[in-house]
Amino acid sequence: MTFLHRRTVLRAAAGSALAGAAGTAAAGCGGDRPAAGPPSATPRGTGRGAAARVPALPGPPLILPALPGGLPAQIEHGSRRARAVALTFHGRGDAKSATALLTEAERAGARVTVLAVGDWLDAEPRMARRVLDGGHELGNHTMRHLSICSMPEKAAYAEITECAERLRRLTGGIGRWFRPSRARKATDQVVRLARRAGYPHILSYDVDSLDFTDPGAEAVRRTVLGAVRPGSVVSLHFGHAGTVAALPAILDGLHRRGLRAVTTTELLTR
């Protein structure tokens, strides 16, 4: 299947039913800690009205295939019968490093899911189209990466919707997935607010690479490959050199097990 045809299938075709669908996560906070450092450039603005200063970039509008019914509100993994996994990345940090990581994934025929932080999109707006044009998937990881589970309702909702506004302006849509900041699992309030904002499912994960602690490429590789299973959703981060260095070995290890790295949507519609 050619790359262009494959992108068309991912964006336009309805997915097949998912057997043994994703596990349901209990409400609570913890597991997603702050990435090292702020975005690589000074954000052009946050808060109401800032999205108007983010330039709309050229490119086709995002068309998402339908998901199968019966998925839980919080998704930790896909079917354990799938011969695939989803590598998901916290989208923040140096754009050159992020581009290098995406390029390495593409070289290996892998596709990933990027959960972008809104102030990173303000600082690096062209990265939104770079992700999509590489055949990857782009979602919402809040506006400023604050502890959303502990925030008052109005402030928490603004964290979701302000990032969604950036995504809509840059790509034509808000993306399918929302992941709470500084939390592996969302509280009931955050689940409800995300649904109101247009995200019926919270994207959690069952494998934490711990790459944000900067343990080195070998430790990241060992952690991921030691825990990954068919259908896993793996949490990784942009902005960490060890993650970029570890990715080729991770992809090679998955390949040796007969597992492909695909977008989260593809994983759940296989």
Side-chain angles (χ1 to χ4, degrees), residues 49-72:
R53 295 190 292 274
V54 177
L57 301 180
L62 182 62
I63 301 173
L64 296 171
L67 289 174
L71 292 177

Side-chain angles (χ1 to χ4, degrees), residues 113-207:
T113 300
V114 177
L115 290 311
V117 180
D119 61 13
W120 183 66
L121 294 175
D122 281 352
E124 304 288 354
R126 287 171 178 77
M127 287 303 301
R129 290 256 38 120
R130 171 63 185 87
V131 170
L132 295 181
D133 290 345
H136 310 289
E137 195 165 35
L138 189 64
N140 182 329
H141 196 36
T142 76
M143 184 63 213
R144 301 168 188 84
H145 203 265
L146 304 175
S147 183
I148 193 169
C149 289
S150 61
M151 296 175 73
E153 179 174 335
K154 182 177 180 181
Y157 188 59
E159 280 294 303
I160 302 171
T161 57
E162 288 177 18
C163 184
E165 288 170 4
R166 271 65 173 177
L167 290 167
R168 190 192 307 278
R169 180 158 182 83
L170 292 171
T171 71
I174 66 171
R176 164 157 283 150
W177 305 111
F178 171 74
R179 175 171 289 168
S181 48
R182 303 199 191 186
R184 182 169 185 164
K185 302 171 185 177
T187 59
D188 290 343
Q189 173 174 277
V190 172
V191 171
R192 175 172 51 82
L193 294 176
R195 186 178 298 118
R196 187 200 303 172
Y199 300 98
H201 302 288
I202 301 292
L203 182 57
S204 184
Y205 47 90
D206 65 325
V207 177

